Amino acid sequence: MTGFTAGQEMALREIRAQFGRERVVLIGGAALGALTTMSWRTTRDLDLVVWVDSQAAVENLGARPGWRRDANVSHRWTWRGMTLVDIVAVTPDTLRAGSFGWAPSRAVLDLSGLELAAAHAVEVQLSDG
């Protein structure tokens, strides 16, 4: 049991279809819920790190049916209007820089530890296997 909602599972399948299994790592509260018995820890969104060659790869997600980018939060997507998905798209350049910034908010995310997270990622089975 992963603790994912049906909408979260469908969104994860879509993300995997778009980027490939080996390029996506779930982080944040949903990852904690999937890997521990902390049933009290719930979250409404999925936080994902996606390794891509360019930011355009994530932009292409908007061409897939059911996906809509948030007009105010550049890294937030909604799948079928019900599942929030925050995507940190990491390119070779941003990984070398060590941080990632979002315009226009100017928020900066330190990327320290992401390679370690990817190296130690654990594959989680969705309900359909």
Side-chain angles (χ1 to χ4, degrees):
M1 181 71 168
T2 62
F4 297 126
T5 66
Q8 288 172 329
E9 284 200 14
M10 288 186 272
L12 285 168
R13 283 188 198 95
E14 287 282 320
I15 292 289
R16 185 176 63 195
Q18 176 75 13
F19 299 106
R21 175 180 301 181
E22 68 283 348
R23 304 186 116 210
V24 179
V25 176
L26 179 68
I27 60 173
L32 185 62
L35 297 173
T36 70
T37 58
M38 296 176 154
S39 59
W40 53 268
R41 177 60 168 102
T42 61
T43 185
R44 291 182 15 174
D45 69 344
L46 297 172
D47 301 310
L48 302 170
V49 177
V50 179
W51 277 262
V52 292
D53 295 327
S54 72
Q55 292 293 328
V58 175
E59 304 299 324
N60 293 337
L61 188 59
R64 291 181 71 94
W67 288 98
R68 183 180 57 82
R69 186 176 219 155
D70 188 297
N72 299 312
V73 183
S74 62
H75 64 281
R76 176 155 297 152
W77 294 80
T78 305
W79 186 79
R80 294 200 174 175
M82 64 179 175
T83 302
L84 295 176
V85 181
D86 290 338
I87 300 176
V88 176
V90 178
T91 66
D93 290 340
T94 57
L95 199 54
R96 275 191 295 279
S99 63
F100 179 84
W102 286 286
S105 70
R106 298 187 183 160
V108 176
L109 176 67
D110 184 335
L111 299 179
S112 300
L114 284 185
E115 289 179 294
L116 187 62
H120 294 278
V122 175
E123 191 165 314
V124 175
Q125 294 277 340
L126 298 178
S127 63
D128 69 353

